[in-house]
Amino acid sequence: MKKLALGLALALFLVLPGCGEKKEETAGSYIAPAVFTAEEQELLRLLGKKENQFFDFQMDESIQSVTFRVYRLEEGAWTLVSDGGGLSGFLENSRQGRMAVLFDTIPDGVEIAMSGSRFGPNPLGEKPAGAAAGLMTLDKKREIEGTTEIPLALQIFAENAIRAHDVEDFAHPEELAKENYLAVYAITVEFSTEPLS
Protein backbone atom coordinates (compact mmCIF):
# COMPACT_ATOMS: atom_id res chain seq x y z
CA MET A 1 0.00 0.00 0.00
CA LYS A 2 2.87 2.36 0.85
CA LYS A 3 4.48 1.70 -2.57
CA LEU A 4 1.16 2.44 -4.30
CA ALA A 5 0.84 5.76 -2.43
CA LEU A 6 4.44 6.70 -3.31
CA GLY A 7 3.83 5.78 -6.94
CA LEU A 8 0.68 7.90 -7.11
CA ALA A 9 2.44 10.86 -5.49
CA LEU A 10 5.33 10.53 -7.94
CA ALA A 11 2.87 10.44 -10.84
CA LEU A 12 1.30 13.70 -9.63
CA PHE A 13 4.69 15.39 -9.49
CA LEU A 14 5.44 14.34 -13.05
CA VAL A 15 2.03 15.02 -14.60
CA LEU A 16 1.14 18.29 -12.89
CA PRO A 17 4.35 20.30 -12.50
CA GLY A 18 3.81 23.74 -11.04
CA CYS A 19 0.03 23.34 -10.87
CA GLY A 20 -1.58 26.56 -9.66
CA GLU A 21 1.52 28.59 -10.46
CA LYS A 22 1.71 30.80 -13.54
CA LYS A 23 4.90 29.87 -15.39
CA GLU A 24 6.76 31.94 -17.90
CA GLU A 25 6.78 30.26 -21.31
CA THR A 26 10.28 29.70 -22.66
CA ALA A 27 11.13 28.84 -26.25
CA GLY A 28 13.65 26.18 -27.21
CA SER A 29 14.83 23.09 -25.36
CA TYR A 30 16.14 23.08 -21.81
CA ILE A 31 16.38 21.20 -18.54
CA ALA A 32 16.38 22.95 -15.17
CA PRO A 33 15.89 22.25 -11.46
CA ALA A 34 12.18 21.76 -10.78
CA VAL A 35 10.19 24.68 -9.37
CA PHE A 36 7.64 23.54 -6.78
CA THR A 37 4.55 25.11 -5.31
CA ALA A 38 4.28 25.28 -1.50
CA GLU A 39 1.85 22.33 -1.56
CA GLU A 40 4.24 20.23 -3.64
CA GLN A 41 7.11 21.08 -1.29
CA GLU A 42 5.05 19.90 1.67
CA LEU A 43 4.15 16.64 -0.07
CA LEU A 44 7.81 16.05 -0.93
CA ARG A 45 8.72 16.61 2.72
CA LEU A 46 6.08 14.11 3.86
CA LEU A 47 7.33 11.54 1.34
CA GLY A 48 10.95 12.08 2.33
CA LYS A 49 11.96 13.05 -1.23
CA LYS A 50 14.53 15.71 -2.08
CA GLU A 51 13.68 18.64 -4.35
CA ASN A 52 17.09 18.46 -6.03
CA GLN A 53 16.19 15.10 -7.60
CA PHE A 54 13.41 16.57 -9.78
CA PHE A 55 13.90 18.48 -13.02
CA ASP A 56 11.65 20.45 -15.36
CA PHE A 57 12.28 20.06 -19.09
CA GLN A 58 11.12 21.30 -22.46
CA MET A 59 12.09 19.77 -25.81
CA ASP A 60 11.53 21.22 -29.26
CA GLU A 61 10.64 19.09 -32.30
CA SER A 62 14.30 18.35 -33.10
CA ILE A 63 14.70 16.13 -29.99
CA GLN A 64 13.81 12.55 -30.93
CA SER A 65 15.06 10.54 -27.93
CA VAL A 66 16.16 10.78 -24.32
CA THR A 67 18.59 8.31 -22.67
CA PHE A 68 19.66 8.07 -19.03
CA ARG A 69 23.07 6.68 -18.02
CA VAL A 70 24.96 5.98 -14.80
CA TYR A 71 28.76 6.10 -14.73
CA ARG A 72 31.48 5.26 -12.23
CA LEU A 73 34.88 6.96 -12.26
CA GLU A 74 37.66 4.42 -12.84
CA GLU A 75 41.30 5.32 -13.46
CA GLY A 76 40.52 8.88 -14.50
CA ALA A 77 37.73 8.05 -16.97
CA TRP A 78 33.99 7.40 -16.82
CA THR A 79 32.91 3.76 -17.13
CA LEU A 80 29.28 3.04 -18.00
CA VAL A 81 27.68 0.95 -15.25
CA SER A 82 24.07 1.25 -16.38
CA ASP A 83 22.27 2.38 -19.48
CA GLY A 84 19.33 3.43 -17.34
CA GLY A 85 16.79 3.39 -20.16
CA GLY A 86 15.57 5.60 -22.94
CA LEU A 87 12.50 7.06 -24.58
CA SER A 88 11.79 7.71 -28.23
CA GLY A 89 8.77 8.61 -30.37
CA PHE A 90 7.46 11.42 -28.17
CA LEU A 91 3.86 12.48 -28.18
CA GLU A 92 3.17 16.22 -28.40
CA ASN A 93 2.00 16.40 -24.78
CA SER A 94 5.21 14.88 -23.39
CA ARG A 95 7.65 17.40 -24.87
CA GLN A 96 7.60 19.34 -21.62
CA GLY A 97 7.10 18.28 -18.05
CA ARG A 98 9.05 16.93 -15.13
CA MET A 99 11.44 14.05 -14.57
CA ALA A 100 12.47 12.42 -11.31
CA VAL A 101 15.88 10.86 -10.64
CA LEU A 102 15.49 9.17 -7.24
CA PHE A 103 18.08 7.40 -5.09
CA ASP A 104 19.50 7.28 -1.58
CA THR A 105 22.95 6.48 -2.91
CA ILE A 106 23.64 5.84 -6.59
CA PRO A 107 25.27 2.41 -6.01
CA ASP A 108 22.09 1.25 -4.23
CA GLY A 109 20.13 1.89 -7.44
CA VAL A 110 18.52 4.77 -9.27
CA GLU A 111 14.85 5.08 -10.18
CA ILE A 112 14.00 7.40 -13.06
CA ALA A 113 10.54 8.53 -14.12
CA MET A 114 9.62 10.71 -17.09
CA SER A 115 6.70 11.07 -19.52
CA GLY A 116 4.77 8.08 -18.22
CA SER A 117 7.84 5.79 -18.19
CA ARG A 118 9.71 4.46 -15.20
CA PHE A 119 13.16 2.80 -15.04
CA GLY A 120 14.97 0.93 -12.23
CA PRO A 121 15.97 0.78 -9.53
CA ASN A 122 18.67 -1.86 -10.01
CA PRO A 123 21.66 -2.13 -7.66
CA LEU A 124 24.72 -0.75 -9.43
CA GLY A 125 27.54 -1.74 -7.09
CA GLU A 126 28.59 -1.51 -3.48
CA LYS A 127 29.01 1.82 -1.80
CA PRO A 128 32.25 2.12 0.18
CA ALA A 129 31.63 1.13 3.80
CA GLY A 130 31.85 3.93 6.35
CA ALA A 131 32.53 6.58 3.73
CA ALA A 132 31.18 10.11 3.79
CA ALA A 133 29.02 10.91 0.76
CA GLY A 134 28.63 14.22 -1.04
CA LEU A 135 25.95 14.94 -3.64
CA MET A 136 25.87 17.62 -6.30
CA THR A 137 22.90 17.99 -8.67
CA LEU A 138 22.06 20.20 -11.63
CA ASP A 139 21.39 23.58 -10.06
CA LYS A 140 20.80 25.84 -13.04
CA LYS A 141 18.97 25.84 -16.35
CA ARG A 142 20.84 24.18 -19.23
CA GLU A 143 19.93 24.79 -22.84
CA ILE A 144 19.72 21.68 -25.03
CA GLU A 145 21.27 22.08 -28.46
CA GLY A 146 21.57 19.18 -30.91
CA THR A 147 22.63 15.96 -29.19
CA THR A 148 23.58 16.88 -25.63
CA GLU A 149 24.57 14.72 -22.62
CA ILE A 150 23.91 16.66 -19.43
CA PRO A 151 25.06 15.57 -15.96
CA LEU A 152 22.17 15.57 -13.48
CA ALA A 153 23.95 14.24 -10.37
CA LEU A 154 27.46 13.59 -9.14
CA GLN A 155 27.93 11.55 -5.94
CA ILE A 156 31.31 11.29 -4.27
CA PHE A 157 32.35 8.86 -1.52
CA ALA A 158 35.43 9.71 0.53
CA GLU A 159 37.21 8.75 3.74
CA ASN A 160 37.75 12.39 4.65
CA ALA A 161 36.81 15.77 3.24
CA ILE A 162 35.12 16.21 -0.12
CA ARG A 163 36.24 19.29 -2.02
CA ALA A 164 33.81 21.76 -3.57
CA HIS A 165 32.53 20.34 -6.87
CA ASP A 166 29.49 20.74 -9.09
CA VAL A 167 27.91 18.55 -11.76
CA GLU A 168 29.90 20.32 -14.48
CA ASP A 169 32.98 18.48 -13.14
CA PHE A 170 31.59 15.49 -15.06
CA ALA A 171 33.42 17.01 -18.05
CA HIS A 172 36.77 16.68 -16.21
CA PRO A 173 37.02 13.14 -14.80
CA GLU A 174 40.82 13.37 -14.70
CA GLU A 175 40.55 16.25 -12.20
CA LEU A 176 38.17 14.26 -9.98
CA ALA A 177 40.55 11.29 -10.12
CA LYS A 178 43.37 13.43 -8.67
CA GLU A 179 41.41 13.70 -5.42
CA ASN A 180 41.72 9.93 -4.76
CA TYR A 181 38.11 9.59 -3.64
CA LEU A 182 36.89 6.10 -2.74
CA ALA A 183 34.22 6.22 -5.46
CA VAL A 184 32.58 8.76 -7.76
CA TYR A 185 29.32 8.16 -9.64
CA ALA A 186 27.46 10.31 -12.16
CA ILE A 187 23.95 10.25 -13.62
CA THR A 188 23.41 11.87 -17.02
CA VAL A 189 20.59 12.44 -19.46
CA GLU A 190 21.25 12.63 -23.19
CA PHE A 191 18.86 14.50 -25.44
CA SER A 192 19.38 13.40 -29.02
CA THR A 193 18.19 14.48 -32.45
CA GLU A 194 18.26 10.79 -33.46
CA PRO A 195 15.58 8.23 -32.45
CA LEU A 196 16.62 5.22 -30.40
CA SER A 197 17.69 2.33 -32.62
Side-chain angles (χ1 to χ4, degrees):
M1 189 69 155
K2 184 178 178 185
K3 283 190 176 192
L4 176 62
L6 286 172
L8 290 172
L10 181 59
L12 281 175
F13 280 122
L14 298 174
V15 174
L16 302 171
C19 203
E21 204 176 81
K22 188 159 178 118
K23 285 196 168 184
E24 180 183 316
E25 287 298 318
T26 309
S29 298
Y30 67 86
I31 184 167
V35 177
F36 293 101
T37 65
E39 292 82 9
E40 289 172 328
Q41 288 173 335
E42 178 61 17
L43 187 52
L44 276 177
R45 188 189 66 73
L46 291 171
L47 293 170
K49 300 297 177 193
K50 299 175 184 138
E51 288 183 39
N52 66 352
Q53 292 180 332
F54 291 84
F55 306 93
D56 291 334
F57 66 89
Q58 179 172 298
M59 299 176 288
D60 65 26
E61 298 297 322
S62 69
I63 304 300
Q64 298 300 310
S65 63
V66 178
T67 304
F68 298 93
R69 296 185 184 95
V70 180
Y71 296 94
R72 181 181 167 127
L73 186 63
E74 293 180 1
E75 298 179 13
W78 293 112
T79 299
L80 184 67
V81 292
S82 174
D83 188 343
L87 299 170
S88 196
F90 294 101
L91 300 173
E92 270 314 302
N93 63 358
S94 62
R95 288 202 166 269
Q96 72 177 46
R98 183 166 289 161
M99 67 176 67
V101 180
L102 306 173
F103 56 90
D104 290 322
T105 69
I106 294 174
D108 288 335
V110 178
E111 183 173 10
I112 298 169
M114 175 187 172
S115 299
S117 298
R118 208 164 165 180
F119 310 99
N122 297 315
L124 302 170
E126 288 194 28
K127 62 185 175 195
L135 177 64
M136 301 94 227
T137 58
L138 180 73
D139 61 358
K140 62 184 178 229
K141 182 178 179 179
R142 285 280 309 268
E143 301 296 328
I144 301 165
E145 297 173 6
T147 295
T148 310
E149 187 170 22
I150 297 173
L152 296 177
L154 192 66
Q155 191 166 45
I156 298 172
F157 296 89
E159 284 181 321
N160 299 309
I162 297 172
R163 291 167 99 36
H165 296 284
D166 65 32
V167 293
E168 298 306 323
D169 290 339
F170 175 77
H172 306 287
E174 69 286 349
E175 294 299 319
L176 287 166
K178 289 178 184 175
E179 301 297 335
N180 293 315
Y181 293 128
L182 296 175
V184 182
Y185 288 87
I187 302 170
T188 68
V189 60
E190 182 180 79
F191 296 89
S192 178
T193 56
E194 298 294 323
L196 295 175
S197 48

